[in-house]
C-alpha cells in the first residue's frame, strides 16, 4: 500500500510541476486549451453574418453552380483562434468589372466601407476582388468579394462544375473574429 500512496504523491507532484511549467512558459494546460474554444457560443453571431443582404445579392445573369447551392456558414478554428464566416459562391457569365461594380454599390448601400482598393487586376486586366469592413460597436466584420481559381477550388477539395466554364466563379464572404477583434479580408 505504501508504494501506491507514494506513487500517487509522485504523480501529483509531477502534474503540479507540469502545470506550473506551462504557466511559467506561457503555455496553456490541456484543461485551459479545451475550455477556451474560439467557436463555443458563437451561433448567434454566425446567424448575424448569414443575415446580410449582400450575400444574396447578385448581378443579373449570375448562376449558382451545382454543389454550391447552400449558404455556407459556421465557425472554424485554427491555432485556438475562432473565425466566423458566411459565404456564397456564384458564376457570372459577363465581365468581372460588372461583378465588382455590383458589389461595390450593394456593399456601400448596406453601410460597408472600403477597407482597401480593389485587389489589383488579374492577368486579363480584370478586377481581382474587393474588401469592405463594417464596424458594429467595438467589433469589425469583413466583406470579401473575390474571384475563384482552379487552385482555390482544388485546395478546398471542390470540383468546379460546368457552370465555371461559362463564366467567372466568385465568392462573397463575410467574416468576423470569434473573439471580437477586428476582421480583415484574406489575401
Amino acid at each position: 500500500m505504501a508504494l501506491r500512496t507514494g506513487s500517487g504523491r509522485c504523480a501529483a507532484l509531477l502534474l503540479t510541476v507540469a502545470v506550473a511549467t506551462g504557466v511559467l512558459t506561457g503555455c496553456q494546460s490541456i484543461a485551459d486549451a479545451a475550455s477556451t474554444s474560439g467557436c463555443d457560443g458563437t451561433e448567434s453571431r454566425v446567424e448575424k453574418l448569414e443575415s446580410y443582404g449582400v450575400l444574396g445579392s447578385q448581378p443579373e445573369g449570375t448562376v449558382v453552380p451545382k454543389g454550391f447551392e447552400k449558404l455556407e456558414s459556421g465557425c472554424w478554428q485554427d491555432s485556438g483562434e475562432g473565425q466566423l464566416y458566411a459565404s456564397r459562391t456564384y458564376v457570372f457569365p459577363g465581365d468581372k468589372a460588372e461583378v465588382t461594380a455590383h458589389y461595390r454599390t450593394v456593399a456601400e448601400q448596406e453601410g460597408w466601407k472600403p477597407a482597401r482598393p480593389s485587389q489589383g487586376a488579374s492577368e486579363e486586366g480584370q478586377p481581382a476582388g474587393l474588401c469592405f469592413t463594417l464596424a458594429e460597436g467595438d467589433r469589425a466584420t469583413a466583406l470579401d468579394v473575390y474571384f475563384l481559381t482552379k487552385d482555390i477550388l482544388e485546395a478546398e477539395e471542390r470540383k468546379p462544375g460546368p457552370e465555371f466554364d461559362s463564366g467567372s466563379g466568385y465568392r462573397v464572404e463575410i467574416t468576423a473574429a470569434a473573439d471580437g477583434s477586428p476582421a480583415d479580408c484574406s489575401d
Side-chain angles (χ1 to χ4, degrees):
M1 281 303 216
L3 185 58
R4 281 187 175 215
T5 305
S7 64
R9 286 184 193 151
C10 184
L13 178 62
L14 286 173
L15 182 58
T16 302
V17 170
V19 170
T21 302
V23 169
L24 293 174
T25 62
C27 296
Q28 283 184 305
S29 71
I30 295 171
D32 287 343
S35 68
T36 58
S37 174
C39 290
D40 288 345
T42 59
E43 294 81 8
S44 65
R45 291 191 53 219
V46 170
E47 288 174 7
K48 172 69 175 162
L49 298 184
E50 294 170 343
S51 73
Y52 288 107
V54 69
L55 286 170
S57 178
Q58 53 196 303
E60 189 173 326
T62 299
V63 297
V64 177
K66 185 177 181 182
F68 294 90
E69 296 88 359
K70 293 171 135 185
L71 170 76
E72 296 181 19
S73 63
C75 181
W76 59 270
Q77 195 167 332
D78 184 26
S79 302
E81 297 177 20
Q83 182 73 18
L84 312 176
Y85 70 93
S87 69
R88 288 251 188 219
T89 300
Y90 300 106
V91 174
F92 183 68
D95 190 29
K96 290 180 181 179
E98 291 178 62
V99 172
T100 56
H102 172 83
Y103 286 103
R104 186 175 290 114
T105 300
V106 172
E108 289 175 356
Q109 287 172 349
E110 285 191 357
W112 294 89
K113 304 290 182 211
R116 66 176 181 252
S118 179
Q119 296 175 357
S122 67
E123 294 172 8
E124 303 86 34
Q126 297 290 323
L130 299 170
C131 178
F132 296 88
T133 58
L134 182 65
E136 296 178 305
D138 61 346
R139 295 181 178 164
T141 303
L143 166 63
D144 195 3
V145 179
Y146 59 95
F147 293 93
L148 298 169
T149 64
K150 184 178 179 183
D151 291 340
I152 291 171
L153 292 171
E154 285 177 359
E156 295 175 353
E157 298 179 358
R158 312 275 304 256
K159 291 192 179 241
E163 303 89 349
F164 285 88
D165 295 335
S166 64
S168 300
Y170 69 93
R171 184 161 295 144
V172 181
E173 185 169 63
I174 298 176
T175 59
D179 67 3
S181 61
D184 193 9
C185 299
S186 58
D187 291 324

